[in-house]
């Protein structure tokens, strides 16, 4: 099989395709021939040494795949069946062995590329928007990084609920994000987004905020939150900057986070939560219900992943470059 290895901390050029022996299905697992593998921002953070959950380098990352079942020691799936699901690392491989609890049968009208773009983005967006923030039809939701894979998923799920959608993203992404369902967008790189959103809503008016940026951004979020607002924090992209050494920007970012006291939450009627999909690996049936509702949303036609690019394994560096240089609108998918 083929695998993409991160050889050491560094730029996209440290990614390398290597050949390895084909794996066998581990007891209690399903062997899948991978047809498409999703690229997540976390993969790029692992490559630059800023992702604490990643295996020690050198390693093969990748949180999600879609493909065909080769063998199943659990009889949950049939050989040849099309499946997609979460892998806790190792997804950048042309074959993977995965527990059946992490896999879902693909609907007939779903392509492998679309399927590989679903697990990380849609599970994260679903948990943040629906489980944490419990967004209601008459509420305003702010989605930061609205043009990323998770952001697009959150827009589609918020539209399904009927909420009013505000987003921050680089300006060139705005026209497409409006087509997808965002109502108001702010280019946070050139505009004071707090001032602009408070102008648009007539005061701190957000009922829910989805924040993958972290650091000081979380402090600013508090300035746009209305009474009864919920904030879901699920990322830390702020300290990832080209050429940075890992330690100081990360420390600066951690120091910039709000130290919100319980009395502040009580006084403002706010709820603040943190989310890490990678730490929910053992939450079997509770996560299964999330996956099943995401598949219902697919059947309704409410969700369709936005594919920024399909890139062959041999050109994996370009996939990472696209994310780092902010050239992706939606998901980048690797093809073995
Ligand atoms: N906790 C979890 O379980 C979980 C799960 C999935 C994702 N996440 C987090 O959610 C965030 C979004 O993930 P994703 O997969 O949707 O992202 P993505 O598709 O890789 O999005 C990349 C986009 O992020 C924006 N961005 C913001 N800060 C950036 C920076 N410092 N460097 C480069 N791009 C930056 C850029 O868009 P603009 O220029 O338009 O802003 C860029 O195009 C990441 O922080 C990721 O780690 C967390």
């Amino acid at each position: 099989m083929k695998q993409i290895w991160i050889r050491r901390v560094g730029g996209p050029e440290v990614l390398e395709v290597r050949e390895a022996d084909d794996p066998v299905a581990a007891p209690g697992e399903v062997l899948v021939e991978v047809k498409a593998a999703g690229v997540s921002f976390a993969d790029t953070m692992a490559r630059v040494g800023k992702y604490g959950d990643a295996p020690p380098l050198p390693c093969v990352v990748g949180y999600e795949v879609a493909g065909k079942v080769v063998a199943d020691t659990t009889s949950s799936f049939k050989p040849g069946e099309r499946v997609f699901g979460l892998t806790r690392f190792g997804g950048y491989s042309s074959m993977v062995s995965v527990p059946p609890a992490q896999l879902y049968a693909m609907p007939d009208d779903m392509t492998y590329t679309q399927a590989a773009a679903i697990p990380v983005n849609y599970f994260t967006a679903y948990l943040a928007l629906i489980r944490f923030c419990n967004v209601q039809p008459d509420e305003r939701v702010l989605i930061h990084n609205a043009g990323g894979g998770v952001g697009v998923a959150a827009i589609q799920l918020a539209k399904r609920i009927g909420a009013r959608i505000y987003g921050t993203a680089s300006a060139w992404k705005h026209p497409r994000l409006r087509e997808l369902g965002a109502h108001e967008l702010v280019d946070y790189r050139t505009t004071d987004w707090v001032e602009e959103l408070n102008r648009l809503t007539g005061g701190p008016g957000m009922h829910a905020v989805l924040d993958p940026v972290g650091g000081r951004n979380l402090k600013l979020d508090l300035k746009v939150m209305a009474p009864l607002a919920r904030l879901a924090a699920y990322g830390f992209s702020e300290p990832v900057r080209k050429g940075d050494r890992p330690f100081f920007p990360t420390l600066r970012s951690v120091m910039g986070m709000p130290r919100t006291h319980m009395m502040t939450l009580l006084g403002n009627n706010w709820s603040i939560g943190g989310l890490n999909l990678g730490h929910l690996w053992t939450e079997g049936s509770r996560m299964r219900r999330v996956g099943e509702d995401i598949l219902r949303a697919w059947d309704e036609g409410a969700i369709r992943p936005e594919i920024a690019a399909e890139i062959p394994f041999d050109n994996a560096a370009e996939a990472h470059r696209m994310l780092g240089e902010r050239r992706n609108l939606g998901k980048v998918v690797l093809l073995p």
Side-chain angles (χ1 to χ4, degrees):
M1 67 167 169
K2 267 186 183 179
Q3 291 186 306
I4 301 167
W5 283 77
I6 301 178
R7 285 182 288 138
R8 56 181 161 78
V9 169
E13 68 286 352
V14 302
L15 297 176
E16 181 179 81
V17 177
R18 294 182 190 166
E19 292 288 338
D21 291 340
D22 285 354
V24 290
E29 293 197 348
V30 184
L31 185 64
V32 178
E33 180 193 343
V34 175
K35 301 287 190 185
V39 179
S40 295
F41 198 78
D43 307 341
T44 66
M45 292 179 77
R47 198 201 67 235
V48 296
K50 291 182 186 174
Y51 189 55
D53 284 350
L57 302 184
C59 72
V60 179
V61 293
Y63 265 125
E64 55 200 336
V65 296
K68 252 187 194 168
V69 172
V70 176
D72 182 358
T73 63
T74 69
S75 306
S76 308
F77 296 95
K78 293 187 199 69
E81 200 169 344
R82 299 185 332 137
V83 293
F84 71 101
L86 287 160
T87 50
R88 200 165 49 177
F89 308 112
Y92 286 14
S93 305
S94 59
M95 297 196 93
V96 293
S97 178
V98 190
Q102 307 298 344
L103 291 176
Y104 296 82
M106 281 171 58
D108 290 342
D109 60 344
M110 190 184 274
T111 65
Y112 287 121
T113 294
Q114 288 171 322
I118 286 181
V120 170
N121 291 344
Y122 285 84
F123 273 78
T124 304
Y126 188 102
L127 290 169
L129 195 75
I130 296 169
R131 284 290 163 82
F132 273 64
C133 293
N134 190 20
V135 170
Q136 302 297 306
D138 58 348
E139 291 193 311
R140 288 184 286 261
V141 56
L142 168 60
I143 301 167
H144 286 298
N145 191 3
V150 180
V152 167
I155 289 174
Q156 294 178 351
L157 291 169
K159 185 178 173 190
R160 182 184 184 221
I161 294 167
R164 186 152 181 88
I165 304 165
Y166 298 74
T168 63
S170 290
W172 68 270
K173 301 178 183 176
H174 293 192
R176 180 62 187 143
L177 296 178
R178 274 185 225 287
E179 284 172 10
L180 288 168
H183 297 99
E184 302 282 359
L185 291 151
V186 182
D187 180 0
Y188 69 106
R189 303 183 70 200
T190 56
T191 310
D192 180 334
W193 59 266
V194 171
E195 198 177 290
E196 181 60 7
L197 290 175
N198 284 342
R199 188 188 66 76
L200 287 168
T201 61
M206 292 303 155
H207 303 119
V209 180
L210 270 56
D211 192 322
V213 181
R216 184 172 162 269
N217 214 58
L218 294 167
K219 227 178 226 170
L220 299 177
D221 288 336
L222 306 183
K223 296 181 191 281
V224 299
M225 282 162 54
L228 289 178
R230 289 85 68 199
L231 165 63
Y234 56 94
F236 205 45
S237 50
E238 189 187 62
V240 182
R241 289 190 204 104
K242 215 175 161 188
D244 271 344
R245 293 178 70 81
F247 182 69
F248 288 110
T250 305
L251 182 68
R252 223 177 12 245
S253 202
V254 171
M255 298 303 286
M257 285 181 173
R259 288 171 185 70
T260 309
H261 197 276
M262 272 309 291
M263 290 306 288
T264 309
L265 302 183
L266 282 162
N268 287 287
N269 286 290
W270 286 343
S271 167
I272 298 182
L275 169 66
N276 187 332
L277 189 66
H279 295 183
L280 295 171
W281 186 255
T282 52
E283 293 304 313
S285 58
R286 295 205 293 165
M287 289 297 277
R288 199 83 206 159
R289 283 200 291 278
V290 173
E292 282 159 7
D293 198 32
I294 289 169
L295 282 170
R296 265 193 295 280
W298 172 276
D299 288 341
E300 291 163 16
I303 61 163
R304 289 293 178 271
E306 184 79 1
I307 305 300
E310 295 172 88
I311 297 180
F313 267 27
D314 292 335
N315 199 13
E318 170 59 9
H320 276 219
R321 244 177 244 123
M322 277 193 81
L323 266 58
E325 294 170 4
R326 302 168 185 267
R327 285 188 281 120
N328 67 310
L329 197 169
K331 190 76 170 180
V332 175
V333 172
L334 288 164
L335 306 179

